[in-house]
Amino acid sequence: MSYQLPQLPYAYDALEPYLDKQTLEIHHQKHHQAYTDKTNAILEKYPQLAEQKAEELMQNLLACGLTEADQLAFRNQGGGYINHSFFWTIISPKKEIDSSLVKEVEAKFGSIELFKEKFTALAISHFGSGWTWLVRDQNSTLQLYNTANQDSPYLQGHTPLICIDLWEHSYYLKYQNRRAEYITNWWSVVKSI
Ligand code: MN
């Protein structure tokens, strides 16, 4: 078994004008495909892990039998595979409000508005490539943080709930240096809240 590039649950132009067709096409077909292929190349050497989900391997990275070099490679490439697979599922042309998540977010951050402000400010403040995450930790507590490169919340045993890709490849064709505008517009296609 090897990992497959997941199909997007919408057309490439479905998130216009917030996320443009060309960027989404390249992001999915080129960038995500490359993470997928490179992840498979790393794991080819470990047939005993063939049935493991990528998220489980990430959660168990230090103990799953990969060499140190391959642990780092999987953290980067496998992280890219996992993070993008998740990212496509939390954006959509149609809102599907998750009322229990909304309640949790309101309890933790005061209001959806305040949560969005905090998340956006954190994303804008991130230096370099990476991601901003809303996650649920092992104690079922919501946490908001940034990760560098393709580091995944699964590394810490956290479950992602919402994330934004801050790599330039996810916005540069349309937004160039205007990362804040990309983040603000991205909220329009976030499905759950
Ligand atoms: Mn990306």
Side-chain angles (χ1 to χ4, degrees), residues 5-85:
L5 181 69
Q7 293 275 330
L8 293 191
Y10 34 76
Y12 286 117
D13 62 359
L15 306 176
E16 295 264 11
Y18 310 109
L19 302 184
D20 68 288
K21 180 183 182 207
Q22 192 188 11
T23 299
L24 198 58
E25 226 163 27
I26 296 170
H27 200 173
H28 180 246
Q29 293 178 359
K30 305 295 182 192
H31 292 276
H32 195 186
Q33 183 70 61
Y35 290 120
T36 307
D37 294 343
K38 288 175 182 172
T39 302
N40 286 330
I42 298 161
L43 294 178
E44 257 174 22
K45 293 168 263 175
Y46 304 91
Q48 72 276 19
L49 300 176
E51 300 302 320
Q52 291 259 338
K53 288 184 69 178
E55 291 82 358
E56 289 166 2
L57 286 179
M58 192 61 81
Q59 223 160 335
N60 197 27
L61 187 60
L62 298 177
C64 64
L66 269 59
T67 64
E68 256 181 60
D70 283 339
Q71 284 178 28
L72 179 61
F74 185 81
R75 180 171 171 164
N76 291 330
Q77 306 299 340
Y81 171 72
I82 292 168
N83 294 344
H84 288 87
S85 299

Side-chain angles (χ1 to χ4, degrees), residues 112-175:
I112 295 298
E113 192 100 321
L114 285 170
F115 161 67
K116 286 185 176 179
E117 274 175 29
K118 210 167 175 187
F119 187 108
T120 300
L122 190 64
I124 290 171
S125 77
H126 185 69
F127 184 77
S129 296
W131 296 73
T132 301
W133 301 92
L134 176 71
V135 304
R136 198 187 308 284
D137 69 16
Q138 290 94 332
N139 303 317
S140 287
T141 303
L142 297 188
Q143 285 195 38
L144 191 55
Y145 55 72
N146 291 335
T147 59
N149 306 314
Q150 291 295 353
D151 282 356
S152 160
Y154 287 104
L155 271 174
Q156 306 177 65
H158 295 170
T159 306
L161 300 170
I162 293 175
C163 63
I164 186 168
D165 189 342
L166 299 174
W167 285 58
E168 284 185 347
H169 67 227
S170 59
Y171 64 88
Y172 204 81
L173 286 178
K174 182 178 169 78
Y175 294 98

